[in-house]
Amino acid sequence: MSGWQLGDRTVNRLGFGTMRLKPETGVEVLRRAVELGVDHFDTAAFYGPANELLRAALAPYAPELVIATKVGPGVHPERGFYQAMTAAELRTQVEENLRGLGVDVLDVVNLRVGNADSLAERFGVLAELQKAGLIRQLGVSNVTTEQLEEARAIAPVVCVQNWYSVDRRDDDSLIDLCASYGIAYVPFASIADGVATEAAQAVAAAHGISAQQLRLAWTLHRSPNILAIPGTSKVAHLEQNVAAGAVQLTPAEVKSLE
């Protein structure tokens, strides 16, 4: 798998998202991912057992592994699902991720926002926690171009994590902007089921791969700064996803899919 920089690290472009992990298979899946060359994991405290499974499977973490987490959304015993808006709430979420992963410093923390409002105050809180030594690098999630620029004015941004796929390409210009800045673009839902066009079926058949593998391969072909993070709870699906990273599409095939 080819690589791209995630801030001051270079990681393989095919990573792993932990949201779908299940307690009964999570440790096996995570360890197999590392065996297959995955060195970039995406997680969050609000993903249920994900952080604890990462800790059980991979701690003490090898120095080449990068674990990116996110804050903003949270789950409270009394409040239920909520969006962190204050400094105290954000610090609590950072500390929750530190405890769950069993680390003293978080590799990457993405601030996920829920609307197009200003993120300056919240991102500023994370920048202060970075200065305090709790966070190594910062990213943003579910953001507009304007919000990215707002964040970059406060502290360096190493990644943008937004919804993107061959069927949902609103971020085409943002991906190119990130590439010009040397910022990694990390799409989620890139292999979510879409309409299988006749062209897509023909390309998948020509390569002997599934529609999901084709969607993932197209995503990686879109731009070299894309770091994909497909998730699964099954080793077999993990192996299929990693195999998709080696699929070489021709320019004509890429164009037909678009």
Side-chain angles (χ1 to χ4, degrees), residues 25-245:
T25 58
V27 169
E28 179 187 12
V29 169
L30 289 168
R31 289 177 176 169
R32 180 59 177 149
V34 172
E35 290 175 353
L36 293 171
V38 173
D39 55 8
H40 168 213
F41 293 87
D42 173 78
T43 189
F46 63 90
Y47 282 180
N51 282 355
E52 287 70 22
L53 288 170
L54 278 163
R55 183 176 184 175
L58 305 180
Y61 305 101
E64 65 270 18
L65 298 184
V66 176
I67 299 177
T69 189
K70 64 180 65 66
V71 296
V75 180
H76 188 275
E78 297 178 357
R79 297 165 59 191
F81 192 81
Y82 73 99
Q83 184 74 26
M85 300 298 291
T86 68
E89 289 174 335
L90 288 167
R91 184 180 182 101
T92 294
Q93 291 186 355
V94 167
E95 292 173 344
E96 185 179 8
N97 280 284
L98 288 167
R99 288 193 302 271
L101 291 168
V103 296
D104 296 322
V105 182
L106 296 171
D107 289 336
V108 181
V109 173
N110 290 308
L111 173 64
R112 179 171 173 81
V113 299
N115 50 47
D117 294 341
S118 171
L119 54 68
E121 183 174 352
R122 288 168 286 171
F123 198 74
V125 171
L126 297 185
E128 289 301 317
L129 294 176
Q130 182 182 34
K131 291 178 182 178
L134 299 182
I135 301 169
R136 197 163 58 81
Q137 302 186 111
L138 295 173
V140 288
S141 177
N142 199 40
V143 295
T144 63
T145 299
E146 292 73 22
Q147 288 172 318
L148 169 60
E149 298 293 10
E150 189 179 16
R152 291 182 67 243
I154 297 169
V157 175
V158 303
C159 57
V160 170
Q161 186 181 110
N162 279 9
W163 188 314
Y164 184 80
S165 71
V166 68
D167 301 307
R168 181 166 174 169
R169 301 183 56 190
D170 297 342
D171 270 7
D172 273 337
S173 61
L174 180 55
I175 290 173
D176 296 338
L177 179 65
C178 286
S180 72
Y181 289 149
I183 294 174
Y185 184 92
V186 186
F188 56 82
S190 60
I191 60 174
D193 290 337
V195 178
T197 64
E198 184 176 340
Q201 292 173 342
V203 173
H207 288 271
I209 59 177
S210 68
Q212 288 75 19
Q213 287 176 298
L214 177 61
R215 294 168 68 83
L216 185 53
W218 177 89
T219 301
L220 292 171
H221 276 73
R222 168 59 182 81
S223 181
N225 68 316
I226 286 181
L227 303 178
I229 50 169
T232 181
S233 62
K234 299 179 180 179
V235 169
H237 289 166
L238 164 68
E239 293 172 343
Q240 291 170 2
N241 290 340
V242 173

Side-chain angles (χ1 to χ4, degrees), residues 7-18:
D8 59 7
R9 302 275 188 91
T10 297
V11 298
N12 289 322
R13 293 184 60 215
L14 203 296
F16 184 86
T18 64

